[in-house]
Amino acid sequence: MSDPFVVVGADAAGLSAASKFRREAPDREVVVFEKGRWISYAYCGMPYFIAGYVDRMSDLLSLSPDEVDERGIDLRRGHEVVAVDPDAKRVTVETAAGDRFERAYGDLLVATGAHATTGPFDVRGLDGAFTLHDMDAAAAIDAYVAEPDAYDPDRADVSAVDRDRVERNAAMPAPETAAVVGGGYVGVEVAEALSERGLDVHVFHRSGHLLSPFGEAVGNRVEEALEAEGVSVHTDAPVEALVGDDRIEAIEADGDRVPVDMAVVGVGIRPNTDLLDGTGFDRGPGDAIRVDDHGRTSLSDVYAAGDCATARHAVTGAPDWTPLGLTANRAGRAIGATVAGDPTPVGDIAGTAAVKAFDTEAARVGILDPDAAEAAGFDPVRETVTAGSRSGYYPGAAETDVTLVADRDTGRLLGGSVVGTDRAAIRIDTLATAIEADMTAPEVERLDLAYAPPFSPVWDPILVAAKVLNGKLDG
Amino acid sequence: MSDPFVVVGADAAGLSAASKFRREAPDREVVVFEKGRWISYAYCGMPYFIAGYVDRMSDLLSLSPDEVDERGIDLRRGHEVVAVDPDAKRVTVETAAGDRFERAYGDLLVATGAHATTGPFDVRGLDGAFTLHDMDAAAAIDAYVAEPDAYDPDRADVSAVDRDRVERNAAMPAPETAAVVGGGYVGVEVAEALSERGLDVHVFHRSGHLLSPFGEAVGNRVEEALEAEGVSVHTDAPVEALVGDDRIEAIEADGDRVPVDMAVVGVGIRPNTDLLDGTGFDRGPGDAIRVDDHGRTSLSDVYAAGDCATARHAVTGAPDWTPLGLTANRAGRAIGATVAGDPTPVGDIAGTAAVKAFDTEAARVGILDPDAAEAAGFDPVRETVTAGSRSGYYPGAAETDVTLVADRDTGRLLGGSVVGTDRAAIRIDTLATAIEADMTAPEVERLDLAYAPPFSPVWDPILVAAKVLNGKLDG
């Protein structure tokens, strides 16, 4: 075991693994190769930086390179792993300076993340058009949105930032109208962010409701929330073209042309797996690297975690690809322990996700879509209720919509969503726990949830939803 | 089955049972005897009425007598059931008008609730001294607190209110200083309420921390929250006497004398079980009526539910007495279904409770006290962590203290508490669900809880607590 634990990628999964391994196996070597300059940044925080809720880009970094160093981790930024030889147990590394070398590994963790796709739209070379999938893009967007004479360069206060790009964008005239292409959760967050910065914002979404994986009940409420704040929501409106020569001028969608002087395209992400090309590794959903319950790939001594890897879904038991921050952190940490000699399962995912649109909070878990439930072998029954978040007489009680899906035969809870303005999103954790415990809807109805007038009515909205769903299951 | 379903008590449990029974068995008779004039009032809302958060007493009623009537329920107010003959299946009823009669029942539900105890202190005949356990007391307190010329009699806008008592209290000089005797959750809520009404408030509590069943971590934070708003908290300060001739003048506690011109005594409650005296019924903890998992007492065809009855504890599997609103509603509803011919378990309780003190929210579930855990046969390991409620960079992140207790041998989660200012209390529902699902602390650590910067950090405070506790379990 003299060869090191080699980790590819220095974000949530990679650094969680390296840190845990370092603590558990202090005498063994761990090397982290990161192709870029950024490490350990909070991808999920970028919209809030753009919104101006966060003052400094450095606030979004959970670990500095120095802190990683202090942990005894050999971090090599500007080092891209371009190939893996699983038989020889060696990786090939290319440095930003143009060098190329091989490095042997005892165990290897692929934590390469994912990259934003832009669909048919090429935003490169078109001023004012962006994709949001890294900190350089966030810094550029933030600079572009600002009035040239009002931009505070200290906002992008990290040495890794692409300063030329920031300065170029800061110098451009500030936009007044923006298009967000894609109404997934990042799209919704960016729409809020740009609206908070004073822009007239249009969101274009291909299908009938924003936040498709959250279901129609959430989509409806979030659309209302955005529109109440002046955001124009275009659903069933696939974008056909970004129009402009040097700078974005308009969006063509669904036969209409909407003039804009900014566009943020976020139509999807794809796992980064090129380094494993030619190894014959097994792929799973979303073309992600398929792993088992300990994060092991089909290649011997090669693990994968984070946005490039699958995880087992708590409802179906099958591999799933739902790239999210906790999954990455948790799997990295578990793999660090496993490689250090303490076999630790990475844990199932339940597809738990939360998002806000101004004061409206929404969250989802499990399988909400009836077609997906049927495809997984269930006979789904779905019900949405609207119930108060607090006792009716208590000030601040707000309408909360809860959707539950259960299997008709077994009553098993398959999925759920919550949307509202008062402590709505955090309520999803109750459903996530129930789903991971394989609870039935009747068991959920009998849960002893907290009742206190300022926080919940006697019958919490989740209990009301379970009660109504059970009535339907009995029928 | 020609004899009716007789329900004793027209509050949460009784009216839930009668309503469910009426829907499920529309052809059978249901009679509800209520000794007083009030029905279906929200006991838990009274402190918020006193605080002035709720404008009208009628807002606290969930059902009016007319609405009960419209449901086809034969409601008899001013009818006290004074005896039960379980062999003859008859109850003896005394009316407020002095009549006495017997009534046969097919099934009987005892939903008589509980009454406030005042310990050694007799508040009767002492102006300015109150116990808070019914709406008449709430109305009287509200009137006493008001300046005589500023009192709005429309606040007590329910015909059932004891108007003489209200007018007498409204006419008295308004108090400036109040003592709350007993620092349980009602005591904390009343302290906040009286402070919001401008009084200088002292809370006296017998033991070392307020909210004893919530554990020390919660007690500490709630004491800080009260004191930050000017409430004086006296712990380890058993009250020895209420001093005064006609009107309260001072509190003697722990050797000190604190002058006050108001006192609210809330040192405990006791189940109302007199009507079953002589029947030989089984009692459980707290001298409450012991029931099985369908709410059946030891007497044939006699059920009990609500604050007068036990419920099975999800952790110990043993009968427990934790009178709370959801337990009453849920048990009543289940018994209504059972009596109508659809046997329905009343559900376990997990001892879930929540309370607020100004902006601080606290909640508890399961077994927190190590001695209680040992008495139930466990080897408890307890850990308290302080973690952020949101991503550190997101505005509004607040320190949240989570306490978890697990059994050393099995890892099973036994109890927990959460306290903080940002969506803290509602997080207890996640722990309640985990406890009712018999989850272990390692399973809790692997839960896929929602991560979104405005609502939760990557590692939710609950996950952080589970992680730290598991480290201790491994050690």
Coordinates of all heavy atoms in Angstrom, one line a residue, chain B residues 282-338:
Chain B
D282 N -58.2 0.6 34.8 CA -56.8 0.7 34.9 C -56.3 2.1 34.7 O -56.6 2.7 33.7 CB -56.1 -0.3 33.9 CG -56.2 -1.7 34.2 OD1 -56.7 -2.0 35.4 OD2 -55.8 -2.6 33.4
R283 N -55.3 2.4 35.6 CA -54.6 3.7 35.4 C -53.3 3.5 34.9 O -52.7 2.4 35.1 CB -54.5 4.4 36.8 CG -55.8 4.9 37.3 CD -55.5 5.7 38.6 NE -56.7 6.1 39.3 CZ -57.4 7.2 39.0 NH1 -57.0 8.1 38.1 NH2 -58.5 7.5 39.7
G284 N -52.7 4.5 34.2 CA -51.4 4.5 33.7 C -50.5 5.6 34.3 O -50.9 6.2 35.3
P285 N -49.4 6.0 33.6 CA -48.6 7.1 34.1 C -49.4 8.3 34.3 O -50.4 8.6 33.5 CB -47.6 7.2 33.0 CG -47.6 5.9 32.2 CD -48.9 5.3 32.4
G286 N -49.1 9.1 35.3 CA -49.8 10.4 35.5 C -51.2 10.2 36.1 O -52.0 11.1 36.1
D287 N -51.5 8.9 36.4 CA -52.8 8.6 36.9 C -53.9 8.8 35.8 O -55.1 8.9 36.0 CB -53.3 9.4 38.1 CG -52.8 8.7 39.4 OD1 -52.4 7.5 39.4 OD2 -52.7 9.4 40.4
A288 N -53.4 8.8 34.5 CA -54.3 8.9 33.4 C -55.0 7.5 33.1 O -54.5 6.5 33.6 CB -53.6 9.4 32.2
I289 N -56.0 7.6 32.3 CA -56.8 6.4 32.0 C -55.9 5.6 31.0 O -55.6 6.1 29.9 CB -58.1 6.7 31.4 CG1 -58.9 7.6 32.3 CG2 -58.9 5.4 31.1 CD1 -60.1 8.3 31.7
R290 N -55.6 4.4 31.4 CA -54.7 3.5 30.5 C -55.5 3.0 29.4 O -56.6 2.4 29.6 CB -54.1 2.4 31.4 CG -53.1 1.6 30.6 CD -52.5 0.5 31.6 NE -51.6 -0.3 30.8 CZ -50.4 -0.7 31.2 NH1 -50.0 -0.2 32.4 NH2 -49.7 -1.4 30.5
V291 N -55.0 3.1 28.2 CA -55.7 2.6 27.0 C -54.8 1.8 26.1 O -53.5 1.9 26.3 CB -56.3 3.8 26.1 CG1 -57.3 4.6 26.9 CG2 -55.1 4.7 25.6
D292 N -55.3 1.0 25.2 CA -54.5 0.1 24.4 C -54.3 0.9 23.0 O -54.6 2.1 22.9 CB -55.1 -1.3 24.2 CG -56.4 -1.2 23.4 OD1 -56.8 -0.2 22.8 OD2 -57.1 -2.3 23.3
D293 N -53.8 0.2 22.0 CA -53.4 0.8 20.8 C -54.7 1.3 20.0 O -54.5 1.9 18.9 CB -52.5 0.0 20.0 CG -53.1 -1.4 19.6 OD1 -54.2 -1.7 20.1 OD2 -52.5 -2.1 18.8
H294 N -55.9 0.9 20.4 CA -57.1 1.4 19.8 C -57.8 2.3 20.7 O -59.0 2.6 20.4 CB -58.0 0.3 19.3 CG -57.5 -0.4 18.0 ND1 -56.3 -1.1 18.0 CD2 -57.9 -0.3 16.7 CE1 -56.1 -1.6 16.7 NE2 -57.1 -1.1 16.0
G295 N -57.2 2.8 21.8 CA -57.9 3.7 22.7 C -58.9 3.1 23.6 O -59.7 3.7 24.2
R296 N -58.8 1.7 23.7 CA -59.8 1.0 24.6 C -59.3 1.0 26.0 O -58.1 0.7 26.3 CB -59.9 -0.4 24.1 CG -60.7 -0.6 22.8 CD -60.9 -2.1 22.5 NE -59.6 -2.6 22.0 CZ -59.4 -3.0 20.7 NH1 -60.4 -3.0 19.8 NH2 -58.2 -3.4 20.3
T297 N -60.1 1.3 27.0 CA -59.8 1.2 28.4 C -59.9 -0.2 28.8 O -60.3 -1.1 28.0 CB -60.7 2.1 29.3 OG1 -62.0 1.5 29.3 CG2 -60.8 3.5 28.7
S298 N -59.7 -0.5 30.1 CA -59.8 -1.8 30.6 C -61.3 -2.2 30.8 O -61.7 -3.3 31.1 CB -59.1 -2.0 31.9 OG -59.6 -1.1 32.9
L299 N -62.2 -1.2 30.6 CA -63.6 -1.5 30.7 C -64.2 -1.7 29.3 O -63.9 -1.0 28.4 CB -64.3 -0.2 31.3 CG -63.8 0.3 32.6 CD1 -64.4 1.6 33.0 CD2 -64.0 -0.7 33.7
S300 N -65.1 -2.7 29.3 CA -65.6 -3.1 28.0 C -66.4 -2.0 27.3 O -67.2 -1.3 28.0 CB -66.6 -4.3 28.3 OG -67.1 -4.8 27.1
D301 N -66.1 -1.8 26.0 CA -66.8 -0.7 25.2 C -66.6 0.7 25.7 O -67.4 1.6 25.4 CB -68.3 -1.0 25.1 CG -68.6 -2.4 24.5 OD1 -67.9 -2.7 23.5 OD2 -69.5 -3.1 25.0
V302 N -65.6 0.9 26.6 CA -65.3 2.2 27.0 C -63.9 2.6 26.5 O -62.9 1.9 26.7 CB -65.3 2.3 28.6 CG1 -64.9 3.8 29.0 CG2 -66.7 1.9 29.1
Y303 N -63.9 3.7 25.8 CA -62.7 4.3 25.2 C -62.3 5.5 26.0 O -63.1 6.2 26.6 CB -62.9 4.6 23.7 CG -63.2 3.5 22.9 CD1 -64.5 2.9 22.8 CD2 -62.3 2.9 22.0 CE1 -64.8 1.8 22.0 CE2 -62.6 1.8 21.2 CZ -63.9 1.3 21.2 OH -64.2 0.2 20.4
A304 N -61.0 5.9 25.9 CA -60.6 7.2 26.4 C -59.6 7.8 25.5 O -58.8 7.1 24.8 CB -60.0 7.1 27.8
A305 N -59.6 9.1 25.4 CA -58.7 9.8 24.5 C -58.5 11.3 24.9 O -59.3 11.8 25.7 CB -59.3 9.9 23.0
G306 N -57.3 11.8 24.5 CA -57.0 13.2 24.9 C -56.3 13.3 26.2 O -55.6 12.3 26.6
D307 N -56.4 14.4 26.8 CA -55.6 14.7 28.0 C -55.9 13.9 29.2 O -55.1 13.9 30.2 CB -55.7 16.2 28.4 CG -55.2 17.2 27.4 OD1 -54.6 16.7 26.4 OD2 -55.3 18.4 27.6
C308 N -56.9 13.1 29.2 CA -57.2 12.2 30.3 C -56.7 10.8 30.1 O -56.8 10.0 31.0 CB -58.8 12.1 30.5 SG -59.7 11.4 29.2
A309 N -56.1 10.5 28.9 CA -55.8 9.1 28.6 C -54.3 9.0 28.3 O -53.6 9.9 28.0 CB -56.5 8.7 27.4
T310 N -53.8 7.8 28.5 CA -52.4 7.5 28.1 C -52.3 7.3 26.6 O -53.3 7.2 25.9 CB -51.9 6.2 28.7 OG1 -52.7 5.1 28.2 CG2 -52.0 6.3 30.3
A311 N -51.1 7.2 26.1 CA -50.9 6.8 24.7 C -49.6 6.0 24.7 O -48.7 6.2 25.6 CB -50.8 8.0 23.8
R312 N -49.4 5.2 23.7 CA -48.2 4.3 23.7 C -47.0 5.2 23.1 O -47.1 5.8 22.1 CB -48.4 3.1 22.8 CG -47.2 2.1 23.0 CD -47.4 0.8 22.3 NE -47.4 1.1 20.8 CZ -47.5 0.1 19.9 NH1 -47.8 -1.2 20.3 NH2 -47.5 0.4 18.6
H313 N -45.9 5.1 23.8 CA -44.7 5.9 23.4 C -43.9 5.1 22.4 O -43.7 3.9 22.5 CB -43.8 6.1 24.7 CG -42.8 7.2 24.4 ND1 -41.7 7.0 23.7 CD2 -42.8 8.5 24.8 CE1 -41.0 8.1 23.6 NE2 -41.7 9.1 24.3
A314 N -43.6 5.8 21.3 CA -42.9 5.1 20.2 C -41.6 4.5 20.6 O -41.1 3.6 19.9 CB -42.8 6.1 19.0
V315 N -40.9 5.1 21.5 CA -39.5 4.6 21.9 C -39.6 3.4 22.8 O -39.0 2.4 22.6 CB -38.7 5.7 22.4 CG1 -37.3 5.2 22.9 CG2 -38.5 6.8 21.4
T316 N -40.4 3.6 23.9 CA -40.4 2.5 24.9 C -41.5 1.5 24.6 O -41.4 0.4 25.1 CB -40.8 3.1 26.3 OG1 -42.1 3.7 26.2 CG2 -39.8 4.2 26.7
G317 N -42.5 1.8 23.8 CA -43.6 0.9 23.6 C -44.5 0.8 24.8 O -45.5 0.1 24.7
A318 N -44.2 1.6 25.8 CA -45.0 1.5 27.0 C -46.0 2.7 27.1 O -45.9 3.7 26.4 CB -44.1 1.6 28.3
P319 N -47.1 2.6 27.9 CA -48.0 3.7 28.0 C -47.3 4.9 28.6 O -46.4 4.8 29.4 CB -49.1 3.2 29.0 CG -48.9 1.7 29.0 CD -47.5 1.4 28.7
D320 N -47.7 6.1 28.1 CA -47.1 7.3 28.5 C -48.2 8.4 28.6 O -49.3 8.2 28.0 CB -46.1 7.7 27.4 CG -45.2 8.9 27.9 OD1 -44.6 8.8 29.0 OD2 -45.2 9.9 27.2
W321 N -48.0 9.4 29.4 CA -48.9 10.5 29.5 C -48.3 11.8 29.1 O -47.5 12.3 29.9 CB -49.6 10.5 30.9 CG -50.7 11.5 31.0 CD1 -51.8 11.5 30.2 CD2 -50.8 12.6 31.8 NE1 -52.6 12.6 30.6 CE2 -52.0 13.3 31.6 CE3 -49.9 13.2 32.8 CZ2 -52.4 14.4 32.2 CZ3 -50.3 14.3 33.5 CH2 -51.6 14.9 33.2
T322 N -48.5 12.2 27.9 CA -48.0 13.5 27.4 C -49.1 14.2 26.7 O -49.3 14.2 25.5 CB -46.8 13.3 26.4 OG1 -45.9 12.4 27.0 CG2 -46.1 14.6 26.1
P323 N -50.0 14.9 27.5 CA -51.2 15.5 26.9 C -50.8 16.6 26.0 O -50.2 17.6 26.4 CB -51.9 16.0 28.2 CG -50.9 16.1 29.3 CD -49.9 15.1 29.0
L324 N -51.2 16.4 24.7 CA -50.9 17.4 23.7 C -52.1 17.4 22.6 O -52.8 16.4 22.5 CB -49.6 17.2 23.0 CG -48.4 17.6 23.8 CD1 -47.1 17.1 23.2 CD2 -48.3 19.1 24.0
G325 N -52.2 18.5 21.9 CA -53.3 18.6 21.0 C -53.4 17.6 19.9 O -54.5 17.1 19.6
L326 N -52.3 17.3 19.2 CA -52.4 16.4 18.1 C -52.8 15.0 18.6 O -53.7 14.3 17.9 CB -51.1 16.3 17.3 CG -51.0 15.3 16.2 CD1 -52.1 15.5 15.2 CD2 -49.7 15.3 15.6
T327 N -52.2 14.6 19.7 CA -52.6 13.3 20.3 C -54.1 13.2 20.5 O -54.7 12.1 20.2 CB -51.8 13.1 21.6 OG1 -50.5 13.4 21.4 CG2 -51.9 11.7 22.1
A328 N -54.7 14.2 21.0 CA -56.1 14.2 21.3 C -56.9 14.1 20.0 O -57.8 13.3 19.9 CB -56.5 15.5 22.1
N329 N -56.6 15.0 19.1 CA -57.3 15.0 17.8 C -57.2 13.6 17.1 O -58.2 13.1 16.6 CB -56.8 16.1 16.9 CG -57.4 17.4 17.2 OD1 -58.4 17.8 16.6 ND2 -56.7 18.2 18.0
R330 N -56.0 13.1 17.0 CA -55.8 11.9 16.3 C -56.4 10.7 16.9 O -57.1 9.9 16.3 CB -54.3 11.7 16.2 CG -53.8 10.8 15.2 CD -52.3 10.8 15.2 NE -51.7 10.6 16.5 CZ -50.4 10.4 16.8 NH1 -49.6 10.3 15.7 NH2 -50.0 10.3 18.0
A331 N -56.3 10.6 18.3 CA -56.9 9.5 19.0 C -58.5 9.6 18.8 O -59.1 8.6 18.6 CB -56.5 9.5 20.4
G332 N -59.0 10.8 19.0 CA -60.5 10.9 18.9 C -60.9 10.5 17.5 O -61.9 9.7 17.4
R333 N -60.3 10.9 16.5 CA -60.6 10.6 15.1 C -60.6 9.0 14.9 O -61.5 8.4 14.3 CB -59.7 11.3 14.1 CG -60.1 11.2 12.7 CD -59.3 12.2 11.9 NE -59.8 12.2 10.5 CZ -59.3 11.4 9.6 NH1 -58.4 10.6 9.9 NH2 -59.8 11.5 8.4
A334 N -59.5 8.4 15.4 CA -59.3 7.0 15.2 C -60.4 6.2 16.0 O -61.0 5.2 15.4 CB -57.9 6.5 15.7
I335 N -60.7 6.7 17.2 CA -61.8 6.0 17.9 C -63.1 6.1 17.3 O -63.9 5.2 17.2 CB -61.8 6.5 19.4 CG1 -60.5 6.0 20.1 CG2 -63.0 6.0 20.2 CD1 -60.2 6.7 21.4
G336 N -63.4 7.3 16.7 CA -64.6 7.5 16.0 C -64.8 6.5 14.9 O -65.8 5.9 14.6
A337 N -63.7 6.2 14.2 CA -63.7 5.3 13.1 C -63.9 3.9 13.6 O -64.6 3.0 13.1 CB -62.4 5.4 12.2
T338 N -63.1 3.5 14.7 CA -63.2 2.2 15.3 C -64.6 1.9 15.7 O -65.2 0.8 15.4 CB -62.2 2.1 16.5 OG1 -60.9 2.3 16.0 CG2 -62.3 0.7 17.2

